[in-house]
């Protein structure tokens, strides 16, 4: 599990979809003034240098953010603007990960909890956020943190679960952690990213039954990459959302409609 480094994949088509959906959820939830606790269970280092050897090895970002950088579709304009904030010279040189994208959106009443297991990524997070009173960093397993967190005092929270899907037990670990989290904070919003990989079981189709979720409490947005976007055996990806905000559904539908729908998608 510690072998995974997202720097090889930063800004690729999966990141575009994942982060556009994430920002749409944030925007919808922040229409109400009450504070929100944001949690990122697999945070990574927060910021990626697209000139680093990790990013340039396969240049996956060219098929993702690079392809829409100059002329994004309307449904992705807010997301691209968020990335541009981290590229003030108007040249695509850096890619903000989910910790940065979430931190950019924090209001004074909001808080951000970042979980990371990899020691190198932990150091990067500490260098970036140690003096930030709105951000807490938890070193260790994000699933354990998710399972143990009590409900936020404001009663409002959004958790991004973005695991590397390297372990065969990933879906079981995810189900166990979510089950515990829902017992603590049953009406929280949980957004789960997952890859669609040929010959590998990575889609969370069994989760609604395992967690006892009805149709209103579960939204599975699954896309198929175009031929130009395809990443080896990864043919697409999805974002499954527990307790999706109704006010976000139109924006989520517009984002998802930019790609061909994958079998099993609710979009």
């Amino acid at each position: 599990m510690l072998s995974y480094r997202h720097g090889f994949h930063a800004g690729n088509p999966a990141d575009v979809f994942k982060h556009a959906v994430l920002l749409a959820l944030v925007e919808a939830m922040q229409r109400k003034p009450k504070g929100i606790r944001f949690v990122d269970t697999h945070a990574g280092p927060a910021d990626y240098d697209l000139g680093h050897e990790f990013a340039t090895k396969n240049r996956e970002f060219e098929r993702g953010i690079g392809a829409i950088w100059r002329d994004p579709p309307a449904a992705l304009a807010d997301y691209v603007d968020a990335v541009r904030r981290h590229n003030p010279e108007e040249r695509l040189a850096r890619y903000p990960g989910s910790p940065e994208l979430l931190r950019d959106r924090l209001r004074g009443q909001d808080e951000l909890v970042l979980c990371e297991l990899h020691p190198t990524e932990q150091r990067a997070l500490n260098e970036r956020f140690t003096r930030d009173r709105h951000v807490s960093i938890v070193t260790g397993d994000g699933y354990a943190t998710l399972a143990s967190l009590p409900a936020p005092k404001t009663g409002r929270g959004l958790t991004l679960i973005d695991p590397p899907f390297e372990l065969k037990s990933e879906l079981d670990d995810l189900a166990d952690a979510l089950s515990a989290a829902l017992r603590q904070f049953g009406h929280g919003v949980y957004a789960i990213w997952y890859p669609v990989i040929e010959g590998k079981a990575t889609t969370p189709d069994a989760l609604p039954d395992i967690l006892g979720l009805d149709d209103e409490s579960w939204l599975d947005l699954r896309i198929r990459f175009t031929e130009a976007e395809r990443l080896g055996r990864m043919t697409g990806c999805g974002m499954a959302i527990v307790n999706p905000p109704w006010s976000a559904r139109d924006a989520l539908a517009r984002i998802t409609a930019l790609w061909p729908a994958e079998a099993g998608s609710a979009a």
Side-chain angles (χ1 to χ4, degrees):
M1 191 168 182
L2 290 180
S3 64
Y4 181 83
R5 303 296 296 278
H6 192 69
F8 290 100
H9 314 290
N12 71 12
D15 266 2
V16 171
F17 180 67
K18 170 178 61 187
H19 290 147
V21 168
L22 176 65
L23 291 178
L25 291 172
V26 173
E27 192 278 330
M29 293 183 69
Q30 287 184 331
R31 293 175 193 170
K32 295 181 179 179
K34 190 176 290 188
I36 301 168
R37 183 184 69 197
F38 297 101
V39 180
D40 191 339
T41 62
H42 297 74
D47 176 75
Y48 301 92
D49 178 1
L50 296 180
H52 190 280
E53 61 181 333
F54 283 5
T56 58
K57 181 176 181 180
N58 296 317
R59 305 190 72 84
E60 292 186 10
F61 65 89
E62 291 182 347
R63 286 172 270 176
I65 182 62
I68 60 172
W69 174 248
R70 294 298 179 192
D71 187 23
L76 298 180
D78 184 53
Y79 155 75
V80 173
D81 283 346
V83 177
R84 284 178 177 151
R85 289 186 59 179
H86 295 265
N87 293 274
E89 296 181 359
E90 298 185 4
R91 178 178 64 87
L92 181 59
R94 308 201 71 83
Y95 188 81
S98 47
E100 287 284 9
L101 293 172
L102 288 169
R103 180 61 187 94
D104 288 346
R105 298 300 172 99
L106 290 190
R107 305 166 299 178
Q109 64 269 43
D110 298 330
E111 62 175 316
L112 175 59
V113 179
L114 303 174
C115 311
E116 181 52 51
L117 188 61
H118 198 291
T120 303
E121 318 291 47
Q122 290 171 5
R123 286 194 293 273
L125 288 175
N126 280 312
E127 289 173 4
R128 169 65 181 86
F129 295 112
T130 292
R131 297 176 182 84
D132 193 325
R133 65 184 181 88
H134 290 286
V135 180
S136 302
I137 300 171
V138 179
T139 56
D141 178 40
Y143 285 141
T145 301
L146 175 62
S148 63
L149 277 176
K153 292 180 180 179
T154 62
R156 306 189 71 224
L158 168 62
T159 298
L160 173 65
I161 306 170
D162 177 22
F165 280 86
E166 287 189 314
L167 302 178
K168 291 183 178 179
S169 63
E170 196 76 67
L171 289 172
D172 291 334
D173 296 341
L174 170 62
D176 290 344
L178 261 178
S179 180
L182 287 168
R183 286 195 294 271
Q184 298 260 39
F185 183 30
H187 58 275
V189 179
Y190 301 86
I192 307 150
W193 178 85
Y194 62 90
V196 178
I197 301 175
E198 287 182 343
K200 191 173 180 180
T202 56
T203 59
D205 304 319
L207 269 183
D209 287 339
I210 292 172
L211 300 175
L213 301 174
D214 58 28
D215 290 345
E216 292 188 359
S217 301
W218 176 258
L219 180 63
D220 189 0
L221 306 174
R222 191 176 304 178
I223 62 167
R224 185 172 73 253
F225 295 148
T226 65
E227 193 61 35
E229 294 172 325
R230 183 168 167 152
L231 304 167
R233 290 193 302 129
M234 188 192 298
T235 61
C237 69
M239 284 285 273
I241 305 165
V242 178
N243 298 325
W246 280 103
S247 57
R249 287 181 179 254
D250 287 347
L252 296 176
R254 288 192 294 272
I255 293 167
T256 305
L258 295 172
W259 285 271
E262 185 61 74
S265 175

